[in-house]
Amino acid sequence: MELIWLLWQSDIEKIFSFIISINKLKKTYRYSQVTNKQWDSVADHCRRLGMMWILFNRKLNLWYDDLKILMLAQCHDLAEIVDWDIDVSLVYNWKITHEQKDEIEKENIKKIISCLPQDLQTEIFEFWEDYRLWTSQEAKFMKTLDKIEATLHYMEYDFENDSMIWFLGYHWNKEAIKSPQTKQILKISKKLLKQFLVQRWMEWEKEYDEY
């Protein structure tokens, strides 16, 4: 019994070590490699993404697994603690390849969760991998919400960058194909983005309206 207690206590200490380390997400800022402007932290992003999921999941009567999606929201950007946000726009601008981005992030997530008990390491890595590979329906839906949250972020910070606006407007179509349930949300999100651009005399490309 004493041995079991000691093992349990050791696992709890490992969890505390992990919890302390992920506090860095509060000071890990998004889009740090594509602009000098200070944005929301990764922790801010994950919190709002989780709330978006719960509300849209209910309103659209999808009834996906809430616990799974909240874990996806919490785990999907953990790797950014090490090298901050390797923004996907860097891939589209040929600064880094998809393969390089994936490899860096995979090594980083393994470093971050290495302090946890083995069973929890496996569980968190599986959630992270599910999101990365679009495996489950929850992951596909979360991917779309992730892009929508990013757009809200840009508009809130009055961000003006033609290449990033192109990425948001056009890249959404890829998300809609993988998660058709999100078309209603995407339509309204694109409407908001279009209004944002028009107010700033920026161009809205016709292909942005396609799904």
Side-chain angles (χ1 to χ4, degrees):
M1 181 64 71
E2 183 178 354
L3 178 58
I4 294 175
W5 162 251
L6 289 174
L7 290 173
W8 180 84
Q9 185 180 37
S10 175
D11 282 351
I12 296 300
E13 289 174 350
K14 290 177 181 178
I15 292 172
F16 268 113
S17 178
F18 173 75
I19 295 299
I20 291 169
S21 71
I22 64 172
N23 191 56
K24 294 176 183 176
L25 289 173
K26 295 178 182 178
K27 295 183 179 180
T28 301
Y29 298 106
R30 305 177 69 201
Y31 316 114
S32 57
Q33 298 190 24
V34 294
T35 176
N36 293 323
K37 203 171 186 177
Q38 182 168 312
W39 301 84
D40 286 347
S41 70
V42 175
D44 295 326
H45 164 63
C46 293
R47 181 181 64 251
R48 182 156 71 166
L49 196 55
M51 180 59 73
M52 288 171 66
W53 161 261
I54 291 172
L55 298 178
F56 287 128
N57 187 33
R58 294 288 190 277
K59 194 61 181 176
L60 296 178
N61 295 315
L62 299 175
W63 300 107
Y64 288 143
D65 186 333
D66 277 339
L67 178 58
K68 182 173 183 177
I69 202 66
L70 288 173
M71 285 299 292
L72 286 169
Q74 292 299 310
C75 297
H76 79 287
D77 277 344
L78 281 176
E80 295 179 8
I81 292 175
V82 179
D83 287 318
W84 287 44
D85 181 14
I86 303 176
D87 193 84
V88 71
S89 66
L90 298 175
V91 175
Y92 281 80
N93 290 322
W94 304 99
K95 301 288 181 64
I96 189 173
T97 67
H98 267 296
E99 292 74 18
Q100 289 172 325
K101 174 177 165 63
D102 285 347
E103 192 59 35
I104 292 170
E105 291 180 342
K106 185 177 288 188
E107 289 303 312
N108 288 346
I109 190 69
K110 288 179 179 178
K111 288 178 186 177
I112 293 159
I113 63 177
S114 62
C115 62
L116 284 168
Q118 187 58 53
D119 59 331
L120 294 180
Q121 287 187 44
T122 300
E123 184 176 6
I124 289 179
F125 185 80
E126 287 176 353
F127 279 118
W128 181 84
E129 190 82 334
D130 180 17
Y131 179 84
R132 184 178 73 88
L133 298 176
W134 311 62
T135 307
S136 67
Q137 289 301 313
E138 287 87 352
K140 291 172 183 176
F141 195 73
M142 176 62 81
K143 280 272 190 179
T144 306
L145 294 184
D146 193 13
K147 300 300 179 295
I148 292 171
E149 199 283 331
T151 303
L152 295 175
H153 193 186
Y154 285 132
M155 292 190 292
E156 288 159 358
Y157 280 82
D158 201 20
F159 183 60
E160 296 184 15
N161 182 304
D162 289 341
S163 63
M164 291 301 291
I165 293 299
W166 170 86
F167 173 76
L168 286 170
Y170 185 73
H171 191 64
W172 270 345
N173 301 335
K174 175 183 174 183
E175 318 298 329
I177 292 171
K178 297 228 178 184
S179 183
Q181 301 91 335
T182 61
K183 283 191 175 182
Q184 294 172 269
I185 307 172
L186 287 170
K187 184 176 181 180
I188 295 173
S189 300
K190 285 196 174 190
K191 179 181 178 181
L192 293 173
L193 180 59
K194 186 175 183 178
Q195 290 172 349
F196 173 83
L197 296 182
V198 169
Q199 289 171 0
R200 286 154 185 78
W201 301 95
M202 298 174 72
E203 186 176 1
W204 178 263
E205 302 289 346
K206 288 184 178 180
E207 60 263 31
Y208 297 170
D209 290 318
E210 299 173 3
Y211 291 97

